[in-house]
Amino acid sequence: MITISKENYLKSIYTLAKGNGNFVSLTELSKELNVTKSAVTEMSKKLYEQGCVKYVRYKGIKILPKGKKIALKVIRKHRLWELFLVETLNLSWDKVHLEAEKLEHFTSDFLIDTIDEYLKYPKLDPHGEPIPCKDGSYRYKINDIPMSECILGKTYKVTRVNDREEELVRYLSKIDIQLNREIKIIEKLKFDNSVIIEVNGVKHSLSSKLVDNIFLTKANG
Amino acid sequence: MITISKENYLKSIYTLAKGNGNFVSLTELSKELNVTKSAVTEMSKKLYEQGCVKYVRYKGIKILPKGKKIALKVIRKHRLWELFLVETLNLSWDKVHLEAEKLEHFTSDFLIDTIDEYLKYPKLDPHGEPIPCKDGSYRYKINDIPMSECILGKTYKVTRVNDREEELVRYLSKIDIQLNREIKIIEKLKFDNSVIIEVNGVKHSLSSKLVDNIFLTKANG
DNA sequence: TAATTAAGTTAAGTATGCTTAACTTGTTGC
DNA sequence: GCAACAAGTTAAGCATACTTAACTTAATTA
């Protein structure tokens, strides 16, 4: 039986491995899911028994095709819900993550396919994350870099933000950053890894944590 | 803590008491919720300890204001979801009940209020059931009778059907019965409590179980 | 009124998914 | 190589919400 808890574990394993299918450490997982390491060990064994993951004691956990399929299905539901709520109800992009986090587990395949069709098979969710297709493939390939890796003085376009950090998204709205907004990298401070950027002529200092969760693409021209 | 299971118990207690606040038998509840009587006994004690119900051993269970508030909130979420899915995604009225049954427990007050506003504070769901307001009151008072109590030869309008019976709703669609459709009571068979009706000039025999779940109002003229 | 039956209760047990506490394993720096 | 520490595991225990089986209470009816 794939429970809601298992869906969440698989989603986190897939996400933390960044789609590479790498091993994920159990400590990392426990932090992501806000549970103890022992809870993760226990669940790892169950997911292994169900053929969803490869689990090597003292090493970590790695997603397998069966688990990946489940993870992508949940991610698909999450991102389509986010976009649907923004599109139909005009919810702001900082409010949809938490709602989608719950709805994703209680939506039939039929309903999510209907939503997909209604939205005309969109490629990206409101935070710039690609939406998996019904068959588990992506309609869009990510091609951006975290702000921390950007080059000084250049101008970029914001193409993706981490929706799991509600406060981050809310703060970005506040300083008038949204998807496709052009920003310029003014300064990168080595000592705390913060970055100073310019948006619409206004300068802002972004902490290291913010900088790791904002993804950019080179602006055309 | 009000869990999903408790929400479902309270919803059923409220519904089975038909809003009168009467005692509900535990056997009735166990059938409604598809659990054993012992499970109901156990939960009754918990709901009593939380002040949601009055529970008298060997007698039954009766909803209290605290429990009623929770039940109405869940019912509100259920019915608004049903209507929202019909309105935005064009789902048919026989497909929305099961979806709403899950979504109702995972929808924030903020989200459901937004949906309520989007739908312009509707009075009725797709099956003709009144939708509770945010404050727990009803915008609409039911004023119909079950088909079993209708008078021979008269013409009525279908104003409400029991959405919990998916098959019933699907069958009604099949014989072209929808809300506000006019039907005429042709014959009532005593021996099995079935009723023969006429819809759009076509006669249909409806079993006792169907007849108990369809509610009618006298047609004007 | 006593027997029968339905309704309701209790006790013991199960699965899931957590926790804490004590432990083992693996890795890293000196 | 080994001490120190982080990572991971194990064991015992808990809460929720079920189950089955055996029981008690209440209502019905002959």
Side-chain angles (χ1 to χ4, degrees):
Chain A
M1 241 258 105
I2 296 299
T3 61
I4 292 146
S5 190
K6 281 174 188 164
E7 284 188 350
N8 281 327
Y9 272 84
L10 290 171
K11 195 173 61 155
S12 292
I13 295 161
Y14 178 80
T15 307
L16 289 173
K18 285 167 186 123
N20 297 321
N22 291 331
F23 271 97
V24 173
S25 88
L26 301 206
T27 301
E28 223 181 331
L29 251 184
S30 78
K31 281 174 191 156
E32 177 74 16
L33 292 163
N34 271 307
V35 294
T36 58
K37 286 179 290 175
S38 55
V40 177
T41 301
E42 199 179 296
M43 188 60 98
S44 294
K45 290 174 191 165
K46 286 184 193 165
L47 291 172
Y48 169 74
E49 278 163 20
Q50 288 190 274
C52 292
V53 301
K54 183 173 179 184
Y55 165 55
V56 182
R57 278 176 86 225
Y58 293 108
K59 185 165 181 204
I61 196 170
K62 190 187 205 170
I63 204 138
L64 289 178
K66 186 179 171 188
K68 186 176 166 183
K69 201 178 156 192
I70 295 163
L72 281 168
K73 215 171 192 174
V74 178
I75 291 169
R76 168 176 161 81
K77 287 176 182 176
H78 181 99
R79 295 182 180 166
L80 280 169
W81 266 120
E82 283 195 343
L83 187 61
F84 183 67
L85 294 179
V86 166
E87 291 289 314
T88 57
L89 297 174
N90 252 302
L91 293 195
S92 62
W93 72 335
D94 60 320
K95 290 205 177 63
V96 290
H97 175 71
L98 278 181
E99 303 288 350
E101 198 73 3
K102 294 174 288 172
L103 300 177
E104 64 187 10
H105 304 292
F106 303 95
T107 310
S108 70
D109 292 354
F110 167 76
L111 179 55
I112 210 63
D113 291 345
T114 307
I115 289 176
D116 196 16
E117 187 191 346
Y118 173 89
L119 294 168
K120 303 209 180 72
Y121 310 103
K123 289 189 184 72
L124 299 173
D125 80 5
H127 310 97
E129 299 282 2
I131 298 170
C133 295
K134 200 177 169 176
D135 65 6
S137 69
Y138 277 107
R139 292 168 194 133
Y140 189 87
K141 208 173 170 302
I142 294 177
N143 186 29
D144 51 22
I145 49 172
M147 188 184 278
S148 51
E149 290 174 19
C150 287
I151 296 159
L152 216 62
K154 297 257 178 196
T155 299
Y156 293 88
K157 235 177 21 178
V158 177
T159 47
R160 189 161 57 99
V161 300
N162 187 342
D163 67 337
R164 283 174 294 171
E165 305 291 339
E166 199 188 330
E167 262 196 274
L168 155 70
V169 182
R170 203 153 41 223
Y171 177 70
L172 292 182
S173 297
K174 211 168 158 185
I175 63 173
D176 199 33
I177 288 183
Q178 49 184 244
L179 288 195
N180 293 313
R181 177 72 83 239
E182 287 205 346
I183 64 172
K184 195 175 169 184
I185 311 297
I186 302 294
E187 218 177 321
K188 293 174 85 169
L189 302 176
K190 278 265 165 61
F191 86 102
D192 68 347
N193 288 315
S194 70
V195 174
I196 295 170
I197 60 165
E198 192 181 302
V199 188
N200 292 334
V202 183
K203 290 195 181 74
H204 298 281
S205 170
L206 303 183
S207 74
S208 155
K209 204 180 171 193
L210 284 174
V211 158
D212 288 336
N213 286 294
I214 304 171
F215 299 84
L216 308 173
T217 305
K218 257 189 203 132
N220 311 336
Chain B
M1 239 260 105
I2 297 298
T3 60
I4 292 146
S5 190
K6 281 174 187 164
E7 284 187 350
N8 280 327
Y9 272 84
L10 291 171
K11 196 174 60 154
S12 291
I13 295 161
Y14 178 79
T15 307
L16 289 173
K18 287 170 186 121
N20 297 322
N22 291 331
F23 272 97
V24 173
S25 86
L26 302 206
T27 302
E28 222 181 332
L29 251 183
S30 77
K31 279 174 192 156
E32 177 73 17
L33 292 162
N34 270 307
V35 294
T36 58
K37 286 178 290 174
S38 56
V40 177
T41 301
E42 200 178 294
M43 187 61 99
S44 295
K45 290 174 191 164
K46 286 184 193 165
L47 290 172
Y48 169 73
E49 278 162 21
Q50 287 188 276
C52 292
V53 300
K54 184 173 177 184
Y55 164 55
V56 182
R57 276 176 88 226
Y58 294 106
K59 184 164 182 203
I61 196 170
K62 189 187 204 168
I63 205 137
L64 289 179
K66 187 178 171 189
K68 186 176 167 183
K69 203 179 155 192
I70 295 164
L72 281 167
K73 216 171 192 174
V74 178
I75 291 169
R76 168 176 161 81
K77 287 176 181 175
H78 181 99
R79 294 183 181 167
L80 280 168
W81 266 120
E82 284 194 344
L83 187 60
F84 183 67
L85 294 179
V86 166
E87 291 289 313
T88 59
L89 297 174
N90 253 300
L91 293 196
S92 62
W93 72 334
D94 60 319
K95 290 204 177 63
V96 291
H97 175 71
L98 278 181
E99 303 287 350
E101 198 73 4
K102 294 175 286 171
L103 299 178
E104 64 187 10
H105 304 291
F106 304 95
T107 309
S108 70
D109 291 354
F110 167 75
L111 179 55
I112 209 65
D113 291 345
T114 307
I115 288 175
D116 196 15
E117 188 192 345
Y118 173 89
L119 294 169
K120 304 210 179 71
Y121 310 104
K123 289 189 186 72
L124 300 173
D125 81 4
H127 310 96
E129 299 282 1
I131 298 171
C133 296
K134 200 177 169 174
D135 65 6
S137 69
Y138 278 106
R139 293 168 195 132
Y140 190 86
K141 209 172 169 302
I142 293 178
N143 188 29
D144 51 22
I145 49 171
M147 188 182 280
S148 51
E149 290 174 19
C150 286
I151 296 159
L152 216 62
K154 297 254 178 195
T155 300
Y156 294 87
K157 234 177 21 178
V158 176
T159 48
R160 190 160 57 97
V161 301
N162 187 342
D163 67 338
R164 282 174 294 169
E165 305 292 337
E166 199 188 330
E167 261 196 275
L168 155 69
V169 182
R170 203 154 40 224
Y171 178 69
L172 291 182
S173 296
K174 212 168 158 187
I175 63 173
D176 198 32
I177 287 183
Q178 49 184 248
L179 287 195
N180 293 311
R181 175 75 79 240
E182 287 204 346
I183 64 171
K184 195 173 169 186
I185 311 295
I186 302 296
E187 218 177 323
K188 293 174 82 169
L189 303 175
K190 278 265 164 63
F191 86 102
D192 66 349
N193 289 315
S194 69
V195 175
I196 295 170
I197 60 165
E198 191 180 303
V199 189
N200 291 335
V202 183
K203 290 195 179 74
H204 299 280
S205 169
L206 303 182
S207 73
S208 157
K209 204 180 171 192
L210 284 174
V211 158
D212 287 337
N213 287 294
I214 303 172
F215 299 85
L216 308 173
T217 306
K218 257 190 204 130
N220 311 336

